[in-house]
Amino acid sequence: MKRGSRVRLVAGLVLAFAAVLATVVWGVAARLPMTTDPQTPTAPVVRGNLEVNLNLSGELQTEKSVTLVSPPAGVALRLLKVVETGAEVHAGDLVMEFDSADQEYTVELNRSQLLEAEQEIIKLRANAEVQAAQAATELLAARFNLRRAEMDALVPARFISGNESKTRALAVEENKRRLAELEAAVGSRQAVDRAALTSLEQRRNTARLTADRAQQIISQLEVRAPIDGSIVVRENRDGTNMFGPGMTLPEYRVGDTVLPGRIVVEIVDTSNVQIRARVSEQDRPSIATGNTARVQANGRGGEWLPAKVESVAGLATRPEGGTPVRRFDLTLRLTEPQRLLPGTTVRIVVSGRELKDVLHVPRQAVFERGGESIVYVREDGRFVAHPIKIVGRTEGRVAITGVSEGTETALLDPMATPKEATGAKGGVLD
């Protein structure tokens, strides 16, 4: 083995030994008695019944909502009317209306072009019929002249002079050439007429489709509510090209220009809202489907609304925010119909099971060390760390086992420095 490899191996072993030693020293130190600070607040372990009420925060959500968008007109539309946020509407009520002036102009313009194209088609067909009749007459005369020249050329040469015979033969050739030219001209004229007719029909169809499309858009400029619910007007992002943190965009208002396909209004069904919240894995055993709860929504003047736990997720979500504590999704539903807007933040108090004849301490007296729950117990003027088992918890109390009734427990960490202890709130379960 090379000398460099041997040195690295020895250094690695020394670091590993130091890490193990530090862990052991920390574990032993956590259980060694600490000198009691007279200023350290304490609380006794008491016995009694403990009603496990969980305090959570959640958000109102709806199972059904409909978004209303501006018509696909291909151009920006001016908003003439829009119902304000929070207004209640019923199915069929007018929610928003757009200016139809541009589309009405498009309809009139294309209808005029449609009529013009139809008149030109009629004129072209009439001219084609006249030219076809004239061409038929010319063809008939050319065929007659050719037939007569052919009859004249059949006279025997002994009955006419040599020059006359040649003249009649040349007359036959000339009439054949004339007939061929007329037939080619008729075919060319018919092809030109068909092309001109096709172009006019295409222009007519384009004008008709454009007018019909504009008329269809006009019928969509009045947008009505498809369901009953509350109105939520969206932010107007059409007039802003730059966004920054903390910027608040105004809602769509009357007179704003809206691009086609923009979501302008959302109608939410407020008659059937549910509440979504999350509960920590420590509090998960204290809550079950069917538990009653109270809900306080922001903006309701402190009114408490009755609710019930509808479901509790069986699988925890991934830890967030750098904390190892996992959480479970919780769904509640109001027992009485209320008109509340989704997205509203609510305070939730869930009535859990009642723990009878249990030992409990303030929540600040319970700490986490090395993956286990402990309390610092006063013994002979010192604080000693005692492992405990948590049975249940409320907002301010924790039911435990592992210590005796009447035991004095520290509300601040005795191992913390004076500066840390002064700024600490006590307990690690918060």
Side-chain angles (χ1 to χ4, degrees), residues 67 93 111 217 227 239 243 255 259 263 267 296 299 343 375 405:
T67 56
D93 290 349
R111 283 179 176 173
I217 294 175
I227 61 172
F243 299 93
L259 295 178
I263 298 177
I267 303 178
Q296 188 182 63
V375 294
E405 181 181 358

Side-chain angles (χ1 to χ4, degrees), residues 40-220:
T40 302
T42 61
V45 179
V46 297
R47 182 182 295 275
N49 297 337
L50 191 64
E51 186 177 355
V52 182
N53 290 334
L54 299 181
N55 288 265
L56 308 171
S57 61
E59 182 178 337
L60 289 172
Q61 296 183 1
T62 181
E63 296 180 349
K64 184 178 182 181
S65 65
V66 178
T67 56
L68 303 181
V69 301
S70 56
V75 295
L77 298 172
R78 181 172 299 159
L79 193 60
L80 296 182
K81 177 182 179 182
V82 61
V83 180
E84 296 181 354
T85 295
E88 298 290 333
V89 296
H90 300 283
D93 290 349
L94 181 63
V95 176
M96 56 183 179
E97 182 180 1
F98 296 90
D99 188 9
S100 61
D102 292 341
Q103 302 304 318
E104 290 176 352
Y105 172 77
T106 301
V107 170
E108 294 300 326
L109 177 62
N110 284 275
R111 283 179 176 173
S112 175
Q113 293 177 353
L114 173 62
L115 294 176
E116 181 181 356
E118 289 179 344
Q119 293 301 318
E120 290 184 5
I121 289 173
I122 294 174
K123 179 180 178 181
L124 179 62
R125 286 175 175 171
N127 291 336
E129 290 178 357
V130 171
Q131 291 176 359
Q134 183 178 356
T137 302
E138 291 176 353
L139 286 173
L140 181 60
R143 291 190 182 99
F144 174 77
N145 293 333
L146 175 61
R147 183 59 180 167
R148 185 175 60 180
E150 290 175 343
M151 293 296 294
D152 291 342
L154 292 176
V155 177
R158 63 179 178 273
F159 295 120
I160 58 177
S161 65
N163 289 335
E164 182 66 22
S165 177
K166 292 179 181 180
T167 300
R168 292 184 179 186
L170 290 174
V172 171
E173 296 299 328
E174 178 64 22
N175 283 283
K176 285 183 178 180
R177 185 188 62 79
R178 176 62 178 166
L179 178 60
E181 289 179 354
L182 288 175
E183 289 177 345
V186 170
S188 298
R189 190 181 299 114
Q190 291 176 349
V192 171
D193 291 342
R194 284 195 300 267
L197 181 61
T198 301
S199 177
L200 289 173
E201 289 177 345
Q202 180 65 29
R203 194 172 74 181
R204 179 191 63 183
N205 294 337
T206 301
R208 179 184 290 115
L209 289 175
T210 305
D212 293 344
R213 175 60 178 163
Q215 189 64 47
Q216 182 182 6
I217 294 175
I218 291 175
S219 65
Q220 298 175 355

Side-chain angles (χ1 to χ4, degrees), residues 109 119 126 145 156 181 184 212 247 269 288-289 300 320 328 344 353 380 388 405:
L109 177 62
Q119 293 301 318
N145 293 333
E181 289 179 354
D212 293 344
M247 289 185 60
D269 183 7
T289 302
R300 297 282 293 192
E320 297 178 355
F328 293 81
T344 304
R353 56 194 175 95
D380 299 329
I388 60 170
E405 181 181 358

Side-chain angles (χ1 to χ4, degrees), residues 109-400:
L109 177 62
N110 284 275
R111 283 179 176 173
S112 175
Q113 293 177 353
L114 173 62
L115 294 176
E116 181 181 356
E118 289 179 344
Q119 293 301 318
E120 290 184 5
I121 289 173
I122 294 174
K123 179 180 178 181
L124 179 62
R125 286 175 175 171
N127 291 336
E129 290 178 357
V130 171
Q131 291 176 359
Q134 183 178 356
T137 302
E138 291 176 353
L139 286 173
L140 181 60
R143 291 190 182 99
F144 174 77
N145 293 333
L146 175 61
R147 183 59 180 167
R148 185 175 60 180
E150 290 175 343
M151 293 296 294
D152 291 342
L154 292 176
V155 177
R158 63 179 178 273
F159 295 120
I160 58 177
S161 65
N163 289 335
E164 182 66 22
S165 177
K166 292 179 181 180
T167 300
R168 292 184 179 186
L170 290 174
V172 171
E173 296 299 328
E174 178 64 22
N175 283 283
K176 285 183 178 180
R177 185 188 62 79
R178 176 62 178 166
L179 178 60
E181 289 179 354
L182 288 175
E183 289 177 345
V186 170
S188 298
R189 190 181 299 114
Q190 291 176 349
V192 171
D193 291 342
R194 284 195 300 267
L197 181 61
T198 301
S199 177
L200 289 173
E201 289 177 345
Q202 180 65 29
R203 194 172 74 181
R204 179 191 63 183
N205 294 337
T206 301
R208 179 184 290 115
L209 289 175
T210 305
D212 293 344
R213 175 60 178 163
Q215 189 64 47
Q216 182 182 6
I217 294 175
I218 291 175
S219 65
Q220 298 175 355
L221 296 180
E222 292 185 353
V223 183
R224 300 185 178 274
I227 61 172
D228 298 347
S230 296
I231 295 295
V232 178
V233 181
R234 291 294 187 87
E235 296 177 340
N236 182 3
R237 297 178 178 270
D238 293 328
T240 304
N241 296 325
M242 298 180 60
F243 299 93
M247 289 185 60
T248 301
L249 299 178
E251 298 178 347
Y252 282 104
R253 295 173 295 182
V254 173
D256 287 347
T257 300
V258 186
L259 295 178
R262 291 288 194 187
I263 298 177
V264 180
V265 172
E266 181 179 6
I267 303 178
V268 293
D269 183 7
T270 56
S271 63
N272 192 21
V273 296
Q274 60 183 8
I275 305 166
R276 293 290 181 88
R278 286 186 174 182
V279 60
S280 65
E281 57 183 341
Q282 294 93 342
D283 295 330
R284 173 63 180 84
S286 302
I287 194 169
T289 302
N291 285 73
T292 58
R294 295 179 297 140
V295 175
Q296 188 182 63
N298 291 343
R300 297 282 293 192
E303 178 185 2
W304 287 94
L305 305 174
K308 182 174 291 187
V309 177
E310 189 174 63
S311 64
V312 184
L315 296 176
T317 59
R318 293 182 178 180
E320 297 178 355
T323 174
V325 180
R326 298 181 302 170
R327 298 185 179 275
F328 293 81
D329 290 329
L330 176 69
T331 303
L332 301 92
R333 190 174 297 276
L334 298 174
T335 56
E336 299 177 0
Q338 299 288 335
R339 292 292 182 179
L340 298 175
L341 289 178
T344 304
T345 303
V346 296
R347 178 187 174 191
I348 308 168
V349 179
V350 181
S351 300
R353 56 194 175 95
E354 183 181 6
L355 303 177
K356 296 184 178 181
D357 195 26
V358 294
L359 299 173
H360 54 88
V361 295
R363 199 179 183 101
Q364 295 88 342
V366 180
F367 299 86
E368 292 286 340
R369 290 291 182 270
E372 63 178 0
S373 301
I374 64 170
V375 294
Y376 290 104
V377 177
R378 188 199 298 272
E379 293 182 1
D380 299 329
R382 298 175 180 273
F383 284 116
V384 180
H386 276 260
I388 60 170
K389 181 179 179 181
I390 298 177
V391 179
R393 69 190 72 203
T394 66
E395 185 178 9
R397 309 288 296 184
V398 180
I400 61 174

